[in-house]
Amino acid sequence: MGLRNIVVTLKVTPKPEEIRFDPVTKTIDRSKATNEINPADKNALEMALQLKDRYGGRVIVVSMGPPFWEPFLKLAVAMGADDAVLVSDRALAGSDTLPTSLTLARAIQRIGDYDIILTGEESSDGGTGQVPPGIAEWLGIPHVTYITSIEIIEPGKARVKRTIKGGYEILEVDMPFLASVELGCNTPRFPDFRRKRWAEREFKLKTWSIADLGLSPEEVGFKGSATTVDTLMELKPPERLRSRITGAPDEIAEELARIIRELLR
Amino acid sequence: MRDIWVFIEQDSGVVEESSLEVLTKAREIADARGYLVTGVLLGRGVRGIAGGLGRYGAHRVIVVEHPILESYLGEPYASVMGDLIGERNPDYFLASATRNGRDLAGRLAVRFRTGLQAHVVNLDIAEDGSLVGHVPGFGGNIVAVVRNVRGRPQMATVALGVFRPREAWGEAEVEVVEAKLDPSKLRARRVEVVRRGYVDLSKSRRVVVGGMGTGGDLTLVRELAKIIQADVGVSRPLSDIGVAPKDIYIGSTGVSLNADLAVIVGVSGAPHFVSGIRNVRTVISINKDPEAPIAEYSDYFAVGDLFEIIPKLIEKLRRGV
Ligand SMILES: Cc1cc2nc3c(=O)[nH]c(=O)nc-3n(C[C@H](O)[C@H](O)[C@H](O)COP(=O)(O)OP(=O)(O)OC[C@H]3O[C@@H](n4cnc5c(N)ncnc54)[C@H](O)[C@@H]3O)c2cc1C
Ligand SMILES: Nc1ncnc2c1ncn2[C@@H]1O[C@H](COP(=O)(O)O)[C@@H](O)[C@H]1O
């Protein structure tokens, strides 16, 4: 029941608490933010690695992003991925979910021989959750969103658990399929120290341009997008009293009890 | 006349309330512009509830019935909806940003090579007919004003609980359409459903919210909630580790509260969390870290150990709320 390729789409995102908004230029300053593998994508990668441990197969991570994402792909390799692909091209700048899902789908096609494609449920910056079903549509394969586990039940068929309102459902799905993985559904492993050193020093990832994927500049980036951003705004936090209550636990409890009684009156 | 389609999500004949929110909003836009609102209802034996959707804003409702459509399932829903859109060519397509709404819209947007805005918190149609929405990002602190520039239908999913459904109009005209579906061709099948009951915290007046600072033990949170007659909510990681149901976590990917009072304990106040407490009237929080970001988002911020403070607070409140 060996699996063929398990592809994981992986994005690099800035920590949301560390980005700053410049109200004058109306731009987002990410320069001071720490970047990380998008949290849900780490869960997707962990799920892929567990599948590989159980059923075999090769785990390949694929990203569409700027060259500075390379170390993060290498980190994924250090965690256990067998190969990594970075699609990087100036023409991709400004892509909305339509060309993003197209580009990733083309890269996945080029990787080929895939049984399962795993994505994160959504990215922590843009956070649309639209890329996963989009990729599946470009590839013409079934997809299931918001899953927390996968089990292979017979060759070519998997059983997945999907979160729904009020509970969960179990679906049986034919391979190849795409599934978006819920944030926090597993604990991503730490990279093995020696593998990490190898990944950093010797491993060479594949970098592909849009030409390598048979895409023209008109199909991607701003030109290929179907939406445009007119402007950005910052949502100011609501005005709060921000009154601090300090002291011994008993004093604090007394004060809180007083406030709560007042509010409930 | 331009036509705004609204996906009416239902499960076993029960309409998802957020679909009604979208319906009402669509009707308000349509009335201002002289457009038509069409609800599209897929389900099993649901034609009886179609006409009533008119009260929430639908001029007409297209109903497609088939046993396989009883609950949401990606493939047949996308197939039926895709066929309908292909045949009738609506100008706009809106869905509520539930898991299912996003699942469906994400697939259809690519099928029609069109623009899709994600979980918008504000929505309008500009003079030139382009759909303009406010799309929150980075946990919800930054909002992008997004416009569709290409493709048809112009699509958006709408954030839950932002717009209010209104029962302000009359019955809708109902059209029943034959389902063209071959269930034997489905590549994904549902084999089991487990439901544990659902609480809608967005309607709660009072909520006590526990975070990772509770160490996953919600006993004190529940006790405090009971005394002040509040519901219990959590931060997302507690749902992720299985300590609490997934329907009760607060934040950008969970519920947005509209409560009069929220008591938030052991929560750091990450951007993805605090976007869910914007509309709370009074926020009280307890955190042992004086620098915790939640301080900024609180009316009363108590610095201390929740395990020491809450038992005392409960005791004092017991002596008379
Ligand atoms: C795409 C994405 C979407 C997300 N969506 C959501 C969402 O919708 N909702 C959500 O909640 N999170 C969401 N998150 C996660 C979010 O970023 C934070 O990780 C999460 O909110 C942190 O939960 P927490 O505050 O309970 O835990 P922590 O950040 O670990 O904070 C625990 C707090 O408890 C305090 N504490 C510890 N012990 C005590 C004690 N004894 N007494 C008092 N205080 C104590 C600590 O000082 C700390 O401030 C999302 C993340 C991503 C990437
Ligand atoms: N540029 C990208 N490169 C690789 N994967 C991506 C990219 N954008 C989105 N994804 C994947 O799609 C998921 C959902 O993203 P989004 O639709 O942007 O919320 C992410 O968790 C990633 O797995």
Side-chain angles (χ1 to χ4, degrees), chain A residues 10-12 62-70 73 85-90 92 103-104 207-208:
Chain A
L10 201 133
K11 188 175 165 176
V12 177
V62 55
S63 283
M64 172 192 126
F68 84 80
W69 287 12
E70 262 201 50
L73 289 173
V85 175
L86 178 62
V87 184
S88 208
D89 202 306
R90 276 179 192 283
L92 290 166
T103 306
L104 290 169
T207 41
W208 293 345

Side-chain angles (χ1 to χ4, degrees), chain B residues 158-174:
Chain B
V158 180
L160 279 65
V162 177
F163 303 111
R164 293 261 135 82
R166 287 198 289 133
E167 268 192 90
W169 299 276
E171 288 279 301
E173 193 185 302
V174 177

Side-chain angles (χ1 to χ4, degrees), chain A residues 219-236:
Chain A
E219 290 173 276
V220 296
F222 288 110
K223 286 184 199 146
S225 295
T227 57
T228 183
V229 175
D230 283 352
T231 182
L232 295 173
M233 303 184 297
E234 188 174 27
L235 267 193
K236 288 260 178 339

